[in-house]
C-alpha cells in the first residue's frame, strides 16, 4: 500500500497578469494560477488566448471560471473551457446548478475547482460532487467580521474525517499572515496575488544579516569563491 510520507502545500498565483506570472514562475516555486472573471477582465483582451498563454508559462493547473449560471450551460461552457489546454481546471461557483454541473463534469473526468465557498457545509457538498479543488475565500469572510482561517481548519477536518480527495485551495488571501495560517491549518494549496507572493520573501533581518556577511567577507577576501 502506498503511504504518503510528506505533503507539500502548493502555491498558486491569483492573477491574470502575464508579466507577473512570468516573473514569479522564474523562482521555480509557483505550481499553478487561479483566475476569475474580474481578474481576466482587468488583464485580457481575448480571454481564451490569454489563459492558453498563462497555461504555457506556468505548466500547471490554471483555473478558469464559467460565466453561465444554469447547469446545462455551465456544463457546455465547462467542456469548452477544459479543451483550451490540458492544464485548465474549470472553475464553477457553489450554487445548486454549480454543484450539479460539477458532479456531471467530474463524472466525465473534467477537473473542477468549486469557488466562492464560505461555509464548511458548502465545502462538503463540493467535495461530495467530486471537485478536484474547493476554494474557500478567507479574506472576504474576515471583511465581514467572520474568521476565515477557522473555515480552512474546519474544512480540512471534514476532508480528513471522510477521506475526500478534493484539494483545499485557500483563496482570497490578503497578507503573509494568512498564508502562514492556512499552511498551519493544512490547506493543500494557497493562491496568492503577486504582491503577497513577493512579500513572503521579505524579512528585514534577512537584509541586515546578508549585508553584514558580505561586508565581512569583502573586507578580507575581496573576491567570491569561483
Ligand atoms: C480565488 O480563486 C479568487 O480569485 C480570489 O482568491 C479572490 O480573492 P479576493 O477576495 O481578494 O478578490
Amino acid at each position: 500500500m502506498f503511504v504518503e510520507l510528506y505533503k507539500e502545500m502548493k502555491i498558486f498565483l491569483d492573477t491574470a497578469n502575464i508579466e507577473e506570472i512570468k516573473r514569479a514562475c522564474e523562482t521555480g516555486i509557483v505550481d499553478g494560477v487561479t483566475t476569475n472573471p474580474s481578474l481576466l477582465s482587468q488583464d485580457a483582451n481575448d480571454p481564451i488566448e490569454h489563459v492558453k498563454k498563462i497555461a504555457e508559462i506556468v505548466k500547471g493547473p490554471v483555473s478558469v471560471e464559467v460565466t453561465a449560471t444554469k447547469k446545462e450551460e455551465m456544463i457546455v461552457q465547462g467542456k469548452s473551457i477544459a479543451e483550451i489546454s490540458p492544464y485548465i481546471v474549470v472553475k464553477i461557483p457553489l450554487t445548486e446548478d454549480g454543484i450539479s454541473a460539477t458532479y456531471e463534469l467530474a463524472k466525465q473526468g473534467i477537473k473542477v475547482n468549486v469557488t466562492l465557498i464560505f461555509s464548511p457545509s458548502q465545502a462538503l457538498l463540493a467535495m461530495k460532487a467530486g471537485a478536484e479543488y474547493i476554494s474557500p475565500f478567507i479574506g472576504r469572510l474576515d471583511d465581514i467580521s467572520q474568521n476565515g482561517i477557522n473555515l480552512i481548519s474546519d474544512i480540512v477536518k471534514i476532508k480528513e474525517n471522510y477521506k475526500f480527495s478534493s484539494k483545499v485551495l485557500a483563496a482570497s488571501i490578503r497578507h503573509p499572515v494568512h498564508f502562514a495560517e492556512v499552511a498551519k491549518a493544512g490547506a493543500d494549496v494557497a493562491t496568492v496575488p503577486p504582491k503577497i507572493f513577493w512579500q513572503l520573501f521579505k524579512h528585514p533581518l534577512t537584509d541586515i544579516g546578508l549585508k553584514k556577511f558580505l561586508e565581512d567577507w569583502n573586507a578580507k577576501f575581496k573576491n567570491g569563491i569561483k
Side-chain angles (χ1 to χ4, degrees):
M1 194 179 93
F2 173 74
V3 179
E4 195 179 58
L5 292 177
Y6 81 100
K7 185 178 146 188
E8 174 195 359
M9 186 177 78
K10 304 279 184 197
I11 301 177
F12 288 4
L13 275 187
D14 197 27
T15 183
N17 186 289
I18 300 278
E19 291 314 310
E20 295 279 15
I21 293 168
K22 275 189 190 156
R23 182 181 163 216
C25 283
E26 274 169 26
T27 61
I29 60 167
V30 172
D31 301 294
V33 166
T34 48
T35 70
N36 62 40
S38 307
L39 293 171
L40 279 167
S41 72
Q42 283 164 30
D43 279 290
N45 292 319
D46 177 340
I48 294 180
E49 285 309 309
H50 198 90
V51 296
K52 206 182 272 176
K53 204 162 170 189
I54 292 176
E56 280 162 16
I57 298 165
V58 72
K59 293 186 174 52
V62 178
S63 292
V64 180
E65 193 160 336
V66 299
T67 50
T69 54
K70 293 279 169 248
K71 173 186 169 179
E72 294 307 332
E73 292 161 36
M74 284 172 151
I75 293 171
V76 171
Q77 242 184 35
K79 284 183 185 168
S80 73
I81 288 172
E83 276 170 16
I84 297 173
S85 146
Y87 291 116
I88 300 293
V89 175
V90 179
K91 216 175 182 187
I92 296 203
L94 199 145
T95 58
E96 183 182 333
D97 287 88
I99 287 296
S100 305
T102 298
Y103 177 75
E104 289 300 329
L105 289 168
K107 222 168 49 178
Q108 295 175 35
I110 292 176
K111 289 184 176 165
V112 177
N113 173 359
V114 176
T115 189
L116 290 167
I117 290 180
F118 293 95
S119 77
S121 327
Q122 286 182 317
L124 192 144
L125 302 182
M127 291 192 270
K128 202 166 159 55
E132 177 78 9
Y133 296 94
I134 53 167
S135 291
F137 278 36
I138 63 174
R140 293 190 193 189
L141 269 183
D142 288 1
D143 289 345
I144 59 159
S145 305
Q146 293 185 17
N147 191 316
I149 300 297
N150 286 351
L151 175 62
I152 301 295
S153 308
D154 288 347
I155 293 173
V156 168
K157 174 91 176 89
I158 292 170
K159 172 183 154 157
E160 285 167 1
N161 280 352
Y162 300 107
K163 308 278 179 274
F164 281 117
S165 61
S166 309
K167 298 173 183 83
V168 180
L169 192 166
S172 187
I173 288 180
R174 299 277 170 77
H175 46 71
V177 176
H178 267 161
F179 180 82
E181 290 296 324
V182 302
K184 281 161 66 183
D188 298 292
V189 187
T191 189
V192 291
K195 179 177 164 229
I196 294 165
F197 179 75
W198 296 114
Q199 283 174 343
L200 298 175
F201 289 73
K202 292 289 172 196
H203 196 289
L205 291 180
T206 306
D207 298 338
I208 292 167
L210 179 60
K211 186 167 175 283
K212 175 78 173 118
F213 285 159
L214 296 182
E215 277 168 8
D216 291 347
W217 176 276
N218 291 333
K220 175 141 190 190
F221 302 115
K222 306 289 180 261
N223 297 316
I225 294 168
K226 293 262 186 313

